[in-house]
Amino acid sequence: MLLLMLVYVQQLTRQLFLFWCTFQPFVFLAHLRNTQFVLHLELLRQQLLQLERELALLAEYSNFAQRFDGFECYMRRRLRQQQLNYARIYDMCVCFSSCFSYSVLTVLLMIFIRIAVDCYFMYYTIYNNIDNIDYYLLLPAILEIPAFIFTSQSCMRLVPRIAFQLHNILCSSSSLSLQLQNFSLQILHQPVRFDCFGTIVLDNYLLTR
């Protein structure tokens, strides 16, 4: 009897050892990778937010400063700076998509699968009245995906707001109007969009599809 108990304890200890030494570190690394994605997207969001503020200041300035000398040169110079800033932000977006597309898809699939499997076994334990609190470890995985999706959606929603602030700028010269149209076309043809190889857009609809 003691021998059987010893064998059972050894098997259980080995299973727990394998679980905590192989599976859990792997899950922890996946969560860290997802956190890295969120921080990268937050950096892009801050850059877009700063660009929106700069254009809002230019729009407010154009409401009363058109009669000032040098208004057109100043506005064209500032718009050129903001165009370069948007081009840099777009390059950052392209670099993020090209570098992390495989990783984003892999991490999101891993988290989705883990949530589905753990929910199934949690339902099994609840249905059979088994006391098990290990499934509270599922909460970080449930929060990881909405955090990433919310950050991605926040970045993409800032682009229409930037275009709105750009269209609020008043101009009376054809050259300044042409530069505003050029900036608008740049925003149209260089959209800030996050997806996985062009198949799935990483926005809030991903949680409801």
Side-chain angles (χ1 to χ4, degrees):
M1 185 66 179
L2 291 175
L3 182 60
L4 292 176
M5 291 180 61
L6 181 61
V7 171
Y8 175 75
V9 170
Q10 288 179 349
Q11 291 179 351
L12 182 62
T13 304
R14 182 174 179 274
Q15 291 174 358
L16 290 174
F17 177 78
L18 292 175
F19 177 77
W20 287 105
C21 292
T22 58
F23 179 72
Q24 282 300 327
F26 186 67
V27 172
F28 182 68
L29 289 176
H31 291 329
L32 287 180
R33 187 65 167 171
N34 189 78
T35 305
Q36 183 184 15
F37 299 152
V38 172
L39 293 177
H40 278 287
L41 292 177
E42 179 62 21
L43 177 62
L44 286 171
R45 192 185 72 85
Q46 291 297 329
Q47 295 293 326
L48 289 169
L49 192 60
Q50 180 64 28
L51 178 59
E52 183 199 6
R53 291 170 181 167
E54 293 291 337
L55 290 177
L57 290 175
L58 287 179
E60 184 178 356
Y61 177 75
S62 66
N63 288 329
F64 64 88
Q66 294 190 42
R67 62 182 182 274
F68 295 163
D69 294 335
F71 167 77
E72 182 180 350
C73 294
Y74 173 77
M75 289 295 294
R76 293 191 64 183
R77 185 173 66 253
R78 291 296 304 274
L79 282 175
R80 179 57 181 166
Q81 292 175 356
Q82 303 312 318
Q83 281 185 272
L84 292 175
N85 289 336
Y86 185 83
R88 295 189 187 100
I89 294 172
Y90 177 74
D91 290 339
M92 293 170 63
C93 175
V94 171
C95 289
F96 177 85
S97 298
S98 61
C99 294
F100 296 126
S101 291
Y102 285 104
S103 296
V104 168
L105 183 61
T106 303
V107 169
L108 291 181
L109 284 176
M110 284 174 51
I111 296 176
F112 269 125
I113 292 172
R114 188 193 172 203
I115 291 174
V117 172
D118 286 352
C119 286
Y120 171 78
F121 284 106
M122 182 172 62
Y123 172 76
Y124 175 81
T125 56
I126 293 174
Y127 182 77
N128 290 279
N129 296 322
I130 300 174
D131 294 331
N132 191 350
I133 63 173
D134 292 342
Y135 293 107
Y136 287 106
L137 297 174
L138 184 63
L139 291 177
I142 294 176
L143 297 176
E144 287 283 347
I145 294 179
F148 177 78
I149 297 300
F150 175 77
T151 310
S152 175
Q153 178 78 9
S154 299
C155 289
M156 291 186 285
R157 282 184 174 177
L158 281 172
V159 177
R161 290 166 52 180
I162 290 173
F164 175 77
Q165 296 296 342
L166 182 64
H167 293 161
N168 285 337
I169 297 177
L170 300 179
C171 62
S172 57
S173 64
S174 59
S175 58
L176 183 57
S177 177
L178 184 62
Q179 188 170 357
L180 289 173
Q181 294 176 18
N182 188 17
F183 199 172
S184 299
L185 289 174
Q186 179 183 358
I187 295 175
L188 178 64
H189 292 288
Q190 294 181 344
V192 176
R193 184 174 182 267
F194 302 102
D195 53 39
C196 292
F197 307 106
T199 57
I200 301 175
V201 180
L202 301 175
D203 55 8
N204 293 337
Y205 294 104
L206 183 63
L207 300 175
T208 58
R209 289 192 181 103

